[in-house]
Amino acid sequence: MSKQFDVIVIGGGPGGYIAAIRASQLGFNVACIDEWKNSKGGSALGGTCTNIGCIPSKAMLQSSEYFDQASHHFVDHGIEVKGLSLDIAKMLGRKDAVVKQNNDGIVYLFKKNKVTFFHARASFVAARDGAYDIKVAGSVEETISGKHIIVATGSNARALPGTPFDEENILSNDGALRIGAVPQKLGVIGSGVIGLEMGSVWRRLGAEVTILEGLPTFLGAVDQQIAKEAHKAFTKQGLKIELGVKVGEIKNGKKGVSVAYVNARNEAQTLEVDKLIVSIGRTANTIGLNPEAVGLGLDERGAIVVDGECKTNLPNVWAVGDVVRGPMLAHKAEDEGVAVAERIAGQHGHVNFNTVPWVIYTSPEIAWVGQNEEQLKTAGHAYKAGTFPFMANGRARALGDTTGMVKMLADAATDEILGVHIVGPLASELIAECVMAMEFRASSEDIARICHAHPSLSEATKEAALAVEKRTLNF
Ligand code: NAI
């Protein structure tokens, strides 16, 4: 008889492994199946986020930021660095070690929470007796059975039509984190989150970086006052960003890559680079899952169709994270995973999409939550806005990083915070207070009346709240 589980989670990324742990905490007998292999063929739990996404990119962003600081900014502090050099192999090795710590951490968490882990590929076989048979193909092949299935199979990088990733010259987020020597010229297609983060890493390490973006607007989903400020800062740092381009033929040769494109002025151009990162979005991953075997519904883009509670068209089959609708963010996947485990247990798990924070880990960082000014205008929602620049913040001056601002938007009548948008130092951390405020439906006055430590960057958030009522104290 096949092994029986209450819950089988397919995929061990942030959506899957967190769902497995939460389900186990709630008393279920849980299995998690994940096929990711490390360079030695062993398991590598954590999915895209841990292996080729959030974690390694943050390691490389930190290393490259240190190099940039030592190269250009230490001198402002009276620190002179002579004979500065770069050991890329060591930097990449450190990044790999950080990834491994995270892989191992999840193995430990599975043991601690008694989650049964299969290093294998999972696929649907059949629905039988109120449960689902799942084929587990790893070093051995077996079929296991689960009452509830949570699909958390993530997403893959989208390639340009006719230009597959070779991860040598034409790179996805994976290859972009493994370039063995700093390219002299690096091209990036798509000025989204990955393009900006990876472009920043290799620019700081010395590459000449050109980003080609199809849309005429820079960071169209971001509050445009914040996006403009970020664009100004990136351009000053030396990132070349061309908007409104139409990418044509891409030739991948021995010496590098040539990209033909038409610029916003309708002029034919060619960009010659050593390496090209293509970061034009991601597509849901259901490769090998065999959804047809049970009739699991996919939409026209290949994503699993779910309702607001992550229920699929099949009873007791759930799906979370990048493989379903909504932002492709690790923390959204985690929260959906927790909510699904709680729903299986008869509880009322809930994810508030309006308070999912967004962060772009460039320098300056960009972070936001809730609605931006353009969205409020389009919706005809009457609002008040307050901004406060880091230039007027004592901690930012001491840090030597005064780029950017905090912008708060509040309802004109009730003063409820509708959105907060930050570009500046440690925006990724500052946004947490704003997410909490919005989750508790705080008003801008609430933030303005809360005591914030001095000197701290968080005072800029308090001042932005004061600015909503036009009563900043330090500007
Ligand atoms: P994205 O959706 O953020 O950006 C893609 C960009 O490419 C857009 O600006 C789009 O207009 C442009 N584009 C699309 N097709 C194009 C074409 N043919 N020519 C020129 N430009 C084109 O996607 P990205 O950067 O690939 O990231 C994928 C996902 O990973 C995103 O959903 C993102 O949220 C997630 N991610 C999140 C991170 C974070 O939270 N810090 C870090 C990295 C990725």
Side-chain angles (χ1 to χ4, degrees), residues 54 57-58 158 160 189-195 197 212-215 245 247 278-282 322 327-329 331 358-361:
C54 317
S57 65
K58 260 77 271 172
R158 191 157 73 83
L160 276 166
I189 301 190
S191 69
V193 189
I194 295 180
E197 291 188 5
L212 302 178
E213 166 60 45
L215 292 175
V245 310
V247 173
V278 177
S279 46
I280 55 167
R282 299 179 65 83
D322 285 11
M328 289 188 175
L329 297 172
H331 44 280
W358 285 80
V359 179
I360 308 178
Y361 293 84

Side-chain angles (χ1 to χ4, degrees), residues 268-288:
Q269 306 282 322
T270 308
L271 176 70
E272 307 277 354
V273 290
D274 304 304
K275 306 270 181 196
L276 181 72
I277 298 174
V278 177
S279 46
I280 55 167
R282 299 179 65 83
T283 49
N285 171 38
T286 53
I287 298 168

Side-chain angles (χ1 to χ4, degrees), residues 181-230:
V182 180
Q184 218 183 346
K185 291 190 174 183
L186 174 71
V188 179
I189 301 190
S191 69
V193 189
I194 295 180
L196 289 172
E197 291 188 5
M198 287 299 98
S200 295
V201 164
W202 294 104
R203 182 206 54 79
R204 290 171 193 168
L205 297 177
E208 190 184 317
V209 179
T210 306
I211 304 183
L212 302 178
E213 166 60 45
L215 292 175
T217 319
F218 181 62
L219 287 176
V222 176
D223 186 282
Q224 283 301 295
Q225 192 179 358
I226 297 296
K228 283 203 178 79
E229 193 74 13

Side-chain angles (χ1 to χ4, degrees), residues 58-380:
K58 260 77 271 172
M60 290 300 286
L61 278 157
Q62 194 60 49
S63 299
S64 60
E65 177 66 15
Y66 284 148
F67 184 69
D68 190 57
Q69 290 286 333
S71 308
H72 305 295
H73 305 294
F74 278 9
V75 67
D76 302 336
H77 296 257
I79 305 167
E80 250 186 72
V81 183
K82 291 207 174 80
L84 187 70
S85 67
L86 194 56
D87 183 342
I88 281 281
K90 191 165 180 183
M91 193 179 279
L92 294 175
R94 175 190 175 274
K95 178 255 308 173
D96 292 340
V98 172
V99 167
K100 177 134 193 341
Q101 282 170 2
N102 283 271
N103 297 142
D104 293 349
I106 303 168
V107 172
Y108 161 79
L109 291 170
F110 274 4
K111 283 197 183 120
K112 183 180 155 199
N113 288 284
K114 299 190 174 51
V115 173
T116 304
F117 171 54
F118 294 89
H119 184 211
R121 167 169 286 196
S123 51
F124 281 101
V125 178
R128 190 166 51 89
D129 303 334
Y132 293 88
D133 282 346
I134 303 290
K135 183 165 97 183
V136 179
S139 52
V140 289
E141 201 172 295
E142 61 185 305
T143 298
I144 63 175
S145 155
K147 274 189 223 141
H148 286 266
I149 310 294
I150 304 175
V151 183
T153 43
S155 60
N156 294 312
R158 191 157 73 83
L160 276 166
T163 311
F165 296 112
D166 64 4
E167 302 300 2
E168 243 334 288
N169 286 346
I170 313 251
L171 313 169
S172 69
N173 53 299
D174 185 6
L177 287 160
R178 289 192 279 116
I179 306 177
V182 180
Q184 218 183 346
K185 291 190 174 183
L186 174 71
V188 179
I189 301 190
S191 69
V193 189
I194 295 180
L196 289 172
E197 291 188 5
M198 287 299 98
S200 295
V201 164
W202 294 104
R203 182 206 54 79
R204 290 171 193 168
L205 297 177
E208 190 184 317
V209 179
T210 306
I211 304 183
L212 302 178
E213 166 60 45
L215 292 175
T217 319
F218 181 62
L219 287 176
V222 176
D223 186 282
Q224 283 301 295
Q225 192 179 358
I226 297 296
K228 283 203 178 79
E229 193 74 13
H231 188 267
K232 209 164 64 188
F234 297 149
T235 307
K236 201 168 143 204
Q237 290 163 1
L239 267 187
K240 282 190 209 148
I241 304 169
E242 282 212 48
L243 301 173
V245 310
K246 200 164 181 330
V247 173
E249 195 187 359
I250 297 181
K251 287 191 196 134
N252 183 5
K254 275 215 172 72
K255 287 204 177 126
V257 184
S258 105
V259 183
Y261 67 97
V262 178
N263 69 14
R265 292 176 299 283
N266 224 6
E267 297 156 343
Q269 306 282 322
T270 308
L271 176 70
E272 307 277 354
V273 290
D274 304 304
K275 306 270 181 196
L276 181 72
I277 298 174
V278 177
S279 46
I280 55 167
R282 299 179 65 83
T283 49
N285 171 38
T286 53
I287 298 168
L289 188 64
N290 201 19
E292 309 81 29
V294 286
L296 178 63
L298 308 185
D299 68 14
E300 65 287 351
R301 292 170 307 117
I304 296 176
V305 179
V306 288
D307 66 8
E309 297 199 315
C310 295
K311 281 185 185 139
T312 69
N313 63 319
L314 301 174
N316 300 338
V317 178
W318 312 73
V320 301
D322 285 11
V323 78
V324 305
R325 70 331 170 231
M328 289 188 175
L329 297 172
H331 44 280
K332 171 262 192 186
E334 288 179 28
D335 287 5
E336 283 184 336
V338 167
V340 164
E342 293 178 350
R343 286 172 197 138
I344 291 173
Q347 298 181 2
H348 300 280
H350 179 68
V351 181
N352 182 358
F353 280 93
N354 191 41
T355 54
V356 172
W358 285 80
V359 179
I360 308 178
Y361 293 84
T362 40
S363 171
E365 291 181 347
I366 305 166
W368 71 96
V369 59
Q371 289 174 280
N372 62 39
E373 201 162 348
E374 290 73 29
Q375 287 167 327
L376 292 174
K377 275 189 185 141
T378 307

